Amino acid sequence: MNIQQPLKTGFTACPHDCPSTCALEVELLDDFSIGRVRGSAANAYTAGVICAKVARYAERVHHPDRLTRPLKRVGAKGERRFEPLSWDEALDIVAEKFNEAEAALGPEAVWPYYYAGTMGLIQRDGIHRLRHVKRYSGQHDTICSMVSSTAFIAGTGKLAGPDPREMAKSDCIVIWGTNAAATQVNVLTHAVRARKDHGARIVAIDIYRTPTLEQADLPLILKPGTDGALACAVMHVLFRDGHADRDYLARYTDAPGELEAHLKSRTPEWAAAITGLTVDEIEEFAALVGRTPKTYFRLGFGFTRQRNGAVAMHAASAIAAVTGAWRHEGGGAFHSNGGIFTLDNSAVIGADAIDPSIRKLDQSRIGEILTGDAEALLGGPPVTAMIVQNTNPMSVAPDQARVREGFLRDDLFVCVHEQFMTETAQMADIVLPATMFLEHDDIYRGGGHQYLLLGPKLIEAPGECRSNHEVHCALADRLGAEHEGFTMTAREHIDLMLSRSGHGGIAEIERSKWIDCQPDFETAHYLNGFAFPDGKFRFKPDWTSVAYKNAGLMGPWQDMPALPDHWAVNEDADEEHPLRLATSPARNFLNSSFNNTPTSLDKEFRPSLMIHPDDAAELDVTEADEVVVGNHRGEVRLTARLFDGLCRGVVIAESIWPNAAHRDGRGINMLTGSAPTAPHGGAAFHDNRVWIRKAE
């Protein structure tokens, strides 16, 4: 009787906004509770390894502060005074307010606002079905991958590359612009395996000494926004020293002669003056790439969150075309495999109801939109009603002063569907309790790999939590929005999507747990030609025709350089703002997720600012001093952390802490701008000039 019964194991996928999309094994203690979470060893990409924050997911699922009942605001906005009400009462109010907004100003006055708190293809994207059927305002998804994905596609014609598992077979892995140890741990899994198995070299490029750089054989720390200069100098050396694969260039690229001539003046000495790297570091990196055909460029998101980010990504991806690394297993350039999943999601998003004449508002410019900027509103009516799902714009959106001002409007009705009382939920009129990924059915696709993964419901949700899909359907019923997608369960949506896409159905993926969608070697390495009519990699992209998520042209796209280059358009330091600020991810948070779980809070300790000791000395700042960091957008208080692993003149604030964690209640995105970057928009989160003073 005292023999412990074996725990039941559930199989699912991590839902969070990370390219790894790990295959998970979850200990199921009972119908409501989980224990440990592990990476699946049977999945060739996850390979049994997951990040620490997801491994302790029980802290999040069973957190005592989870929302479990619908709430109605009874105090002032942001005052956090709410009272419970029934689901029917809450949904009736939301529908009534949406109908009032539509009657007064037209359906575009309603703006469903969402993003990637879950990456599930049913629970995340179903909000579009309600949007399209009701003709509510659309959304340009610019806050994350618009810049990086556009720029990679500019060269290859498709958002796809060599099998990420090939990193384990590479002789050199270049991890560029991403702290993989914090944001996609499986990249390091395969890179370290290659080093252990056959002596592969790991190069890591970033703007400060991250845990990823600490594991690299060649760590390169450069100034923010100078990646394009480094890439050009590397290609200069490749041409100069005979490492350019001229046969490959002639067959597979559009303008190799023009590129070589253009790069004549882009010497290591030129790049050293821009990047802060030494000439020797640049020469060593270029020589390593030149003599190592099987070099795999793993290109991240971080270095593209600059005003010149698209040009930098394109320049970095071009190196693999100069060396012909694409020819080899374990060689080439990779950013995301988003382009390999040809999924029919028409029923999920209500594709048959899309009206291209409906305006699409830029999600990164939510502050300007909610404060009535006519240009940001595209000449249309003000937004007077919103539903917010899967995101926390009061914390994660740029230009926080205007975001806060907008949410405080008395004439703006906001419904927030959330798991916790976030800063955005505190501004809501109606708060609805949301399920977590273990409590509903969904399906996921890997950005950093090639798997479709099933995420079935494994436990019951606490209290009265409901899924996104349930909320979409319940609101549609009250709003008179008719579509087949509102009559289907999440499982039925998964089954229909898979069957229409040639992947069998839900029964098949339930048996296999995931589907490997990796194209064959020749396709993945573009050996049959790149995804342009002439099959050529574009050194000279037509930025006006690079299509990603059907975005329009934004930012100073007319001024983008014709060939890979250093594009000097960033927010450089000046006399008033002598320092450059980047807001990089923390290892134990993920945007604003996990920033309330006990272990993550304990490990991150407090909001801090990394400052080079020499800069700190000039500012009369010592370790643990409170400092005020500011620019024309606002001010934030942080604790100084002296750190010599960055260039002078650069400061780093890791993570997005809750606004309340800062002594003045203002979070780090008070300092970031929302101006669109070229060519299709996106906020330059890591591109801010600031001043610093010691707090009084």
Side-chain angles (χ1 to χ4, degrees):
M1 292 177 62
N2 295 324
I3 297 175
Q4 185 174 0
Q5 296 299 310
L7 290 172
K8 183 180 177 182
T9 299
F11 298 91
T12 185
C14 180
H16 285 283
D17 188 10
C18 164
S20 288
T21 318
C22 291
L24 304 179
E25 298 175 2
V26 183
E27 291 180 349
L28 304 177
L29 306 182
D30 54 43
D31 290 345
F32 291 87
S33 307
I34 68 166
R36 294 180 60 193
V37 179
R38 295 180 291 269
S40 172
N43 183 279
Y45 187 73
T46 300
V49 179
I50 59 171
C51 67
K53 52 186 172 285
V54 172
R56 52 179 182 262
Y57 213 89
E59 288 189 4
R60 183 170 168 81
V61 172
H62 304 307
H63 198 292
D65 294 341
R66 277 197 68 177
L67 295 170
T68 59
R69 298 184 64 184
L71 301 171
K72 177 182 179 181
R73 179 172 62 85
V74 294
K77 287 192 175 186
E79 198 174 70
R80 202 169 178 167
R81 290 176 54 207
F82 294 88
E83 64 180 20
L85 73 170
S86 71
W87 266 99
D88 282 339
E89 290 172 316
L91 291 169
D92 287 345
I93 291 171
V94 176
E96 178 186 357
K97 292 297 185 180
F98 280 18
N99 284 333
E100 287 178 2
E102 180 176 353
L105 296 166
E108 289 184 341
V110 181
W111 191 21
Y113 191 90
Y114 86 109
Y115 207 53
T118 176
M119 297 292 278
L121 303 182
I122 310 302
Q123 305 293 347
R124 181 192 65 186
D125 297 343
I127 196 171
H128 292 306
R129 186 170 63 252
L130 184 66
R131 182 198 311 279
H132 295 149
V133 172
K134 287 297 296 177
R135 300 171 62 82
Y136 294 152
S137 282
Q139 176 179 293
H140 272 311
D141 300 340
T142 59
I143 209 163
C144 178
S145 61
M146 181 62 73
V147 177
S148 59
S149 296
T150 296
F152 189 87
I153 295 168
T156 62
K158 185 177 181 179
L159 189 58
D163 189 335
R165 295 168 295 194
E166 289 182 25
M167 281 185 285
K169 301 178 181 180
S170 300
D171 294 326
C172 177
I173 302 97
V174 180
I175 304 172
W176 197 322
T178 181
N179 181 8
T183 61
Q184 41 187 319
V185 67
N186 306 97
V187 170
L188 280 177
T189 300
H190 296 282
V192 170
R193 178 182 297 170
R195 179 165 62 191
K196 180 180 179 181
D197 289 350
H198 54 269
R201 300 287 302 281
I202 299 174
V203 181
I205 303 168
D206 214 321
I207 59 173
Y208 67 116
R209 190 173 65 241
T210 67
T212 303
L213 265 73
E214 289 173 351
Q215 295 198 43
D217 301 291
L218 178 58
L220 299 174
I221 300 171
L222 72 174
K223 295 177 181 178
T226 64
D227 304 83
L230 173 60
C232 287
V234 168
M235 290 187 284
H236 168 96
V237 173
L238 295 173
F239 279 111
R240 182 197 71 194
D241 293 352
H243 294 307
D245 187 333
R246 296 191 180 277
D247 290 340
Y248 182 90
L249 286 164
R251 180 177 176 185
Y252 286 102
T253 69
D254 65 335
E258 288 184 61
L259 178 68
E260 183 175 9
H262 165 71
L263 294 172
K264 288 284 188 184
S265 61
R266 272 54 174 178
T267 64
E269 291 76 12
W270 166 83
I274 296 169
T275 63
L277 295 168
T278 67
V279 171
D280 287 345
E281 286 176 314
I282 297 170
E283 291 277 5
E284 182 182 1
F285 176 36
L288 175 61
V289 170
R291 66 173 181 263
T292 313
K294 293 171 62 174
T295 294
Y296 194 108
F297 290 86
R298 184 60 177 86
L299 306 173
F301 294 85
F303 77 115
T304 70
R305 290 177 179 142
Q306 313 271 344
R307 285 164 177 78
N308 65 4
V311 172
M313 167 65 85
H314 175 249
S317 71
I319 300 173
V322 172
T323 65
W326 290 99
R327 291 185 190 267
H328 308 285
E329 185 177 29
F334 182 91
H335 174 59
S336 169
N337 250 342
I340 71 172
F341 302 102
T342 53
L343 293 171
D344 185 341
N345 67 345
S346 55
V348 176
I349 68 171
D352 55 344
I354 294 175
D355 181 348
S357 70
I358 300 295
R359 69 179 177 181
K360 294 182 72 174
L361 301 175
D362 183 347
Q363 70 171 152
S364 296
R365 303 182 70 186
I366 182 174
E368 294 155 281
I369 288 163
L370 295 187
T371 53
D373 183 281
E375 188 267 330
L377 287 164
L378 305 178
V383 170
T384 59
M386 298 179 71
I387 179 170
V388 179
Q389 287 185 322
N390 315 325
T391 188
N392 181 17
M394 274 291 297
S395 180
V396 305
D399 200 6
Q400 279 288 298
R402 276 194 278 199
V403 174
R404 180 177 178 81
E405 180 185 348
F407 273 107
L408 284 170
R409 280 171 40 206
D410 289 332
D411 66 332
L412 175 67
F413 171 82
V414 178
C415 169
V416 174
H417 187 205
E418 251 296 355
Q419 298 160 350
F420 296 97
M421 186 59 74
T422 63
E423 294 90 347
T424 307
Q426 292 172 33
M427 290 290 187
D429 299 281
I430 295 291
V431 179
L432 304 176
T435 51
M436 291 190 181
F437 77 108
L438 298 167
E439 301 157 359
H440 56 236
D441 294 305
D442 216 331
I443 188 169
Y444 306 88
R445 63 185 181 189
H449 57 72
Q450 60 289 311
Y451 289 106
L452 285 172
L453 304 101
L454 185 65
K457 179 179 177 179
L458 297 178
I459 59 173
E460 297 297 327
E464 301 176 31
C465 296
R466 294 188 186 180
S467 71
N468 291 357
H469 179 65
E470 291 173 302
V471 170
H472 303 153
C473 295
L475 283 176
D477 182 60
R478 286 165 170 80
L479 293 164
E482 296 183 356
H483 191 276
E484 64 165 339
F486 294 124
T487 68
M488 300 165 60
T489 66
R491 286 179 59 84
E492 288 170 337
H493 270 290
I494 296 168
D495 187 62
L496 182 63
M497 177 188 291
L498 291 173
S499 62
R500 285 182 172 177
S501 306
H503 293 301
I506 194 168
E508 286 87 343
I509 199 172
E510 279 184 316
R511 286 192 295 269
S512 62
K513 303 181 184 64
W514 50 74
I515 299 170
D516 189 338
C517 299
Q518 180 62 38
D520 61 79
F521 179 85
E522 288 75 17
T523 301
H525 285 253
Y526 298 101
L527 297 184
N528 299 318
F530 288 90
F532 292 106
D534 62 0
K536 306 280 191 179
F537 181 92
R538 294 287 189 265
F539 290 133
K540 293 182 67 176
D542 178 2
W543 291 106
T544 66
S545 66
V546 178
Y548 179 61
K549 294 188 177 180
N550 299 314
L553 292 166
M554 301 182 198
W557 57 269
Q558 303 94 329
D559 301 326
M560 297 180 76
L563 288 160
D565 212 341
H566 169 63
W567 190 27
V569 293
N570 284 19
E571 192 171 274
D572 285 335
D574 58 21
E575 185 175 352
E576 184 180 355
H577 309 87
L579 298 160
R580 302 276 317 280
L581 166 71
T583 57
S584 303
R587 190 165 193 164
N588 294 284
F589 296 163
L590 201 168
N591 298 322
S592 67
S593 297
F594 300 97
N595 68 9
N596 65 338
T597 52
T599 304
S600 290
L601 285 169
D602 182 63
K603 289 181 178 295
E604 295 299 332
F605 191 44
R606 61 188 172 193
S608 61
L609 185 75
M610 298 181 189
I611 309 175
H612 194 283
D614 293 341
D615 289 329
E618 289 188 359
L619 294 164
D620 193 28
V621 169
T622 59
E623 180 73 16
D625 280 347
E626 185 179 45
V627 295
V628 182
V629 187
N631 56 25
H632 65 281
R633 303 179 186 101
E635 299 180 6
V636 178
R637 288 176 181 257
L638 297 159
T639 300
R641 175 185 163 196
L642 272 55
F643 181 64
D644 63 1
L646 39 67
C647 296
R648 287 208 61 186
V650 177
V651 292
I652 306 289
E654 285 189 329
S655 80
I656 301 177
W657 284 82
N659 296 332
H662 298 262
R663 190 156 70 86
D664 55 7
R666 294 193 291 265
I668 194 64
N669 280 317
M670 189 67 65
L671 305 176
T672 59
S674 62
T677 59
H680 297 314
F685 284 101
H686 302 334
D687 183 2
N688 310 283
R689 58 187 172 206
V690 295
W691 49 259
I692 296 176
R693 67 168 183 263
K694 195 170 181 176
E696 297 179 1

